[in-house]
């Protein structure tokens, strides 16, 4: 029963782990590029495909954010129900063991959510999605859609998209692991107390156009 409680709490408060996000990115890259071999932006063939993939990964970030928001709502409802059950058990004179089980379930939910930070994770994913769409738009305005993956344009766009992935990981850093002794003491004390259309203009100067592309992409990475 205890293991079930822990697994249940972890499932409901699962807030976009790096592995989950990485799998979502890789799936979106493969599907949008129509290449099962592509696992990152540099393995795509040309700029037009790269921009399509950027949008697909942005959509994946939104889907992950929505899922986490739903999980957070379910966790909040469980906390409300657990608190109500705990209060009922105390007032009706339920056994100490039953009160302790209910209390530990609620406390584990609370601590799991505090460590995994679902609201912050959801917001970070939405910021990443906004950066993706910004880069996609900048690429359509300034980059040559026919440019191949060995071109300067492709390199600028792929670098910017990769920076989004790295920036998202930094924002989702969990910090220090919970301290067992502190948590155990806190649990014990708590239980005791409870009893539109995008234009694609052509630049007259190649270097100016590439500089415009790079500047536009850099601005996308500042989205906060």
């Amino acid at each position: 029963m205890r293991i079930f409680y822990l697994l249940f709490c972890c499932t409901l408060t699962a807030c976009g782990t790096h592995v989950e996000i990485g799998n979502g990115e890789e799936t979106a890259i493969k599907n949008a590029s129509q290449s099962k071999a592509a696992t990152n932006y540099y393995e795509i063939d040309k700029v037009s495909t790269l921009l399509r993939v950027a949008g697909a990964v942005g959509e994946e970030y939104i889907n992950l954010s929505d899922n986490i928001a739903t999980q957070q709502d379910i966790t909040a409802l469980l906390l409300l129900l657990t608190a109500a059950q705990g209060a009922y058990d105390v007032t009706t004179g339920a056994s100490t063991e039953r009160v302790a089980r209910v209390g530990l379930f609620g406390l584990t939910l609370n601590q799991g959510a505090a460590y995994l930070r679902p609201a912050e994770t959801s917001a970070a994913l939405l910021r990443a999605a906004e950066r993706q769409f910004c880069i996609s738009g900048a690429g359509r305005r300034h980059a040559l859609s026919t440019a191949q993956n060995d071109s300067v344009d492709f390199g600028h766009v792929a670098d910017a998209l990769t920076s989004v992935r790295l920036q998202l990981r930094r924002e989702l850093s969990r910090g220090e692991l919970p301290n067992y002794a502190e948590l155990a003491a806190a649990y014990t004390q708590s239980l005791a107390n409870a009893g539109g259309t995008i234009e694609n203009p052509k630049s007259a100067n190649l270097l100016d156009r590439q500089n415009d592309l790079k500047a536009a992409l850099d601005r996308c990475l500042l989205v906060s």
Side-chain angles (χ1 to χ4, degrees):
M1 180 64 71
R2 294 174 182 173
I3 293 176
F4 169 77
Y5 278 158
L6 291 174
L7 290 176
F8 192 51
C9 293
C10 289
T11 299
L12 289 175
T13 56
C15 299
T17 64
H18 288 196
V19 172
E20 182 184 4
I21 293 170
N23 288 339
E25 290 169 336
E26 185 172 324
T27 299
I29 289 172
K30 287 182 177 180
N31 291 341
S33 67
Q34 298 180 337
S35 170
K36 298 302 181 183
T39 58
N40 61 67
Y41 297 118
Y42 298 101
E43 295 174 340
I44 295 171
D45 58 352
K46 56 186 177 182
V47 168
S48 60
T49 306
L50 185 61
L51 298 178
R52 183 172 68 247
V53 169
V57 173
E59 292 291 343
E60 178 63 20
Y61 288 152
I62 292 177
N63 291 336
L64 287 170
S65 177
D66 289 344
N67 291 340
I68 290 168
T70 300
Q71 292 165 358
Q72 185 181 8
D73 288 343
I74 295 173
T75 302
L77 290 174
L78 272 177
L79 282 170
L80 292 172
L81 291 172
T82 302
Q85 182 65 54
Y88 175 81
D89 288 344
V90 170
T91 56
T92 57
S95 68
T96 302
E97 181 181 359
R98 177 178 173 80
V99 173
R101 285 180 178 176
V102 173
L104 284 173
F105 182 61
L107 287 168
T108 304
L109 278 174
N110 253 341
Q111 293 295 334
Y115 175 69
L116 295 171
R117 301 176 302 173
E120 293 181 27
T121 301
S122 181
L125 284 163
L126 289 178
R127 288 194 299 272
E130 189 173 356
R131 294 176 191 127
Q132 291 287 121
F133 297 139
C134 180
I135 290 171
S136 180
R140 285 184 170 85
R141 288 191 299 273
H142 300 289
L144 293 175
S145 61
T146 56
Q148 300 299 303
N149 61 4
D150 59 351
S151 66
V152 173
D153 286 5
F154 185 98
H156 284 332
V157 177
D159 287 348
L161 291 171
T162 301
S163 293
V164 173
R165 297 185 72 178
L166 294 173
Q167 193 170 349
L168 177 59
R169 267 71 174 175
R170 285 193 292 268
E171 292 180 2
L172 295 182
S173 176
R174 304 295 187 195
E176 295 295 327
L177 286 173
N179 182 279
Y180 171 79
E182 293 177 359
L183 287 178
Y187 281 13
T188 302
Q189 185 60 46
S190 295
L191 291 175
N193 293 339
T197 301
I198 300 175
E199 296 179 356
N200 191 10
K202 294 182 179 179
S203 174
N205 184 284
L206 174 63
L207 183 58
D208 286 344
R209 181 185 58 74
Q210 291 176 346
N211 287 339
D212 289 343
L213 170 64
K214 186 65 168 61
L217 296 173
D218 288 343
R219 287 193 294 271
C220 291
L221 299 177
L222 298 177
V223 171
S224 61

